[in-house]
mmCIF file of all heavy atoms in Angstrom:
data_model
loop_
_atom_site.group_PDB
_atom_site.id
_atom_site.type_symbol
_atom_site.label_atom_id
_atom_site.label_comp_id
_atom_site.label_asym_id
_atom_site.label_seq_id
_atom_site.Cartn_x
_atom_site.Cartn_y
_atom_site.Cartn_z
ATOM 1 N N LEU A 300 -1.265 33.431 -5.957
ATOM 2 C CA LEU A 300 -1.357 33.325 -7.409
ATOM 3 C C LEU A 300 -2.212 34.462 -7.954
ATOM 4 O O LEU A 300 -3.074 34.988 -7.252
ATOM 5 C CB LEU A 300 -2.011 31.988 -7.815
ATOM 6 C CG LEU A 300 -1.261 30.699 -7.468
ATOM 7 C CD1 LEU A 300 -2.164 29.504 -7.713
ATOM 8 C CD2 LEU A 300 0.015 30.588 -8.279
ATOM 9 N N TYR A 304 -4.654 30.292 -15.009
ATOM 10 C CA TYR A 304 -3.855 29.078 -14.836
ATOM 11 C C TYR A 304 -4.649 27.866 -15.317
ATOM 12 O O TYR A 304 -5.874 27.820 -15.191
ATOM 13 C CB TYR A 304 -3.499 28.865 -13.358
ATOM 14 C CG TYR A 304 -2.484 29.843 -12.815
ATOM 15 C CD1 TYR A 304 -2.897 31.077 -12.312
ATOM 16 C CD2 TYR A 304 -1.128 29.532 -12.809
ATOM 17 C CE1 TYR A 304 -1.973 31.985 -11.812
ATOM 18 C CE2 TYR A 304 -0.202 30.434 -12.305
ATOM 19 C CZ TYR A 304 -0.626 31.656 -11.809
ATOM 20 O OH TYR A 304 0.291 32.550 -11.316
ATOM 21 N N ASP A 305 -3.923 26.903 -15.866
ATOM 22 C CA ASP A 305 -4.503 25.605 -16.210
ATOM 23 C C ASP A 305 -4.155 24.658 -15.063
ATOM 24 O O ASP A 305 -3.017 24.183 -14.961
ATOM 25 C CB ASP A 305 -3.924 25.102 -17.533
ATOM 26 C CG ASP A 305 -4.532 23.764 -17.954
ATOM 27 O OD1 ASP A 305 -5.463 23.297 -17.271
ATOM 28 O OD2 ASP A 305 -4.055 23.194 -18.960
ATOM 29 N N LEU A 306 -5.122 24.407 -14.202
ATOM 30 C CA LEU A 306 -4.894 23.589 -13.012
ATOM 31 C C LEU A 306 -5.385 22.167 -13.251
ATOM 32 O O LEU A 306 -6.441 21.950 -13.848
ATOM 33 C CB LEU A 306 -5.618 24.191 -11.810
ATOM 34 C CG LEU A 306 -5.248 25.649 -11.462
ATOM 35 C CD1 LEU A 306 -6.067 26.135 -10.272
ATOM 36 C CD2 LEU A 306 -3.756 25.767 -11.152
ATOM 37 N N VAL A 307 -4.609 21.205 -12.762
ATOM 38 C CA VAL A 307 -4.947 19.794 -12.919
ATOM 39 C C VAL A 307 -5.319 19.214 -11.557
ATOM 40 O O VAL A 307 -4.554 19.329 -10.598
ATOM 41 C CB VAL A 307 -3.772 18.990 -13.512
ATOM 42 C CG1 VAL A 307 -4.168 17.523 -13.697
ATOM 43 C CG2 VAL A 307 -3.316 19.601 -14.828
ATOM 44 N N ASP A 308 -6.497 18.609 -11.497
ATOM 45 C CA ASP A 308 -6.942 17.945 -10.273
ATOM 46 C C ASP A 308 -6.183 16.620 -10.150
ATOM 47 O O ASP A 308 -6.331 15.740 -11.010
ATOM 48 C CB ASP A 308 -8.447 17.681 -10.350
ATOM 49 C CG ASP A 308 -9.014 17.108 -9.056
ATOM 50 O OD1 ASP A 308 -8.268 16.441 -8.318
ATOM 51 O OD2 ASP A 308 -10.215 17.331 -8.795
ATOM 52 N N LYS A 313 -8.675 15.875 -14.137
ATOM 53 C CA LYS A 313 -9.319 16.863 -15.000
ATOM 54 C C LYS A 313 -8.587 18.202 -14.966
ATOM 55 O O LYS A 313 -8.036 18.597 -13.934
ATOM 56 C CB LYS A 313 -10.771 17.066 -14.573
ATOM 57 C CG LYS A 313 -11.646 15.838 -14.789
ATOM 58 C CD LYS A 313 -13.081 16.111 -14.366
ATOM 59 C CE LYS A 313 -13.980 14.900 -14.603
ATOM 60 N NZ LYS A 313 -15.380 15.149 -14.156
ATOM 61 N N HIS A 314 -8.602 18.896 -16.102
ATOM 62 C CA HIS A 314 -8.008 20.223 -16.209
ATOM 63 C C HIS A 314 -9.082 21.285 -15.966
ATOM 64 O O HIS A 314 -10.226 21.133 -16.384
ATOM 65 C CB HIS A 314 -7.403 20.435 -17.603
ATOM 66 C CG HIS A 314 -6.156 19.646 -17.832
ATOM 67 N ND1 HIS A 314 -4.922 20.238 -17.937
ATOM 68 C CD2 HIS A 314 -5.944 18.310 -17.946
ATOM 69 C CE1 HIS A 314 -4.006 19.293 -18.136
ATOM 70 N NE2 HIS A 314 -4.609 18.123 -18.152
ATOM 71 N N HIS A 315 -8.674 22.339 -15.273
ATOM 72 C CA HIS A 315 -9.586 23.459 -15.024
ATOM 73 C C HIS A 315 -8.828 24.746 -15.322
ATOM 74 O O HIS A 315 -7.821 25.044 -14.665
ATOM 75 C CB HIS A 315 -10.063 23.468 -13.573
ATOM 76 C CG HIS A 315 -10.747 22.206 -13.143
ATOM 77 N ND1 HIS A 315 -12.082 21.986 -13.329
ATOM 78 C CD2 HIS A 315 -10.260 21.086 -12.544
ATOM 79 C CE1 HIS A 315 -12.411 20.793 -12.857
ATOM 80 N NE2 HIS A 315 -11.309 20.227 -12.377
ATOM 81 N N ILE A 316 -9.287 25.491 -16.285
ATOM 82 C CA ILE A 316 -8.671 26.784 -16.588
ATOM 83 C C ILE A 316 -9.400 27.845 -15.764
ATOM 84 O O ILE A 316 -10.596 28.081 -15.933
ATOM 85 C CB ILE A 316 -8.759 27.105 -18.084
ATOM 86 C CG1 ILE A 316 -7.973 26.058 -18.890
ATOM 87 C CG2 ILE A 316 -8.208 28.503 -18.365
ATOM 88 C CD1 ILE A 316 -8.072 26.224 -20.383
ATOM 89 N N LEU A 317 -8.661 28.457 -14.846
ATOM 90 C CA LEU A 317 -9.255 29.429 -13.932
ATOM 91 C C LEU A 317 -8.515 30.747 -13.997
ATOM 92 O O LEU A 317 -7.282 30.786 -14.103
ATOM 93 C CB LEU A 317 -9.212 28.896 -12.491
ATOM 94 C CG LEU A 317 -10.021 27.631 -12.172
ATOM 95 C CD1 LEU A 317 -9.759 27.211 -10.732
ATOM 96 C CD2 LEU A 317 -11.503 27.864 -12.398
ATOM 97 N N LEU A 319 -7.594 33.397 -11.701
ATOM 98 C CA LEU A 319 -7.515 33.576 -10.263
ATOM 99 C C LEU A 319 -7.340 35.046 -9.905
ATOM 100 O O LEU A 319 -6.409 35.705 -10.357
ATOM 101 C CB LEU A 319 -6.341 32.772 -9.697
ATOM 102 C CG LEU A 319 -6.389 31.255 -9.941
ATOM 103 C CD1 LEU A 319 -5.147 30.583 -9.366
ATOM 104 C CD2 LEU A 319 -7.644 30.645 -9.331
#
Side-chain angles (χ1 to χ4, degrees):
L300 296 170
Y304 289 86
D305 182 5
L306 303 178
V307 181
D308 185 332
K313 294 181 179 178
H314 288 249
H315 303 273
I316 297 176
L317 296 176
L319 301 178

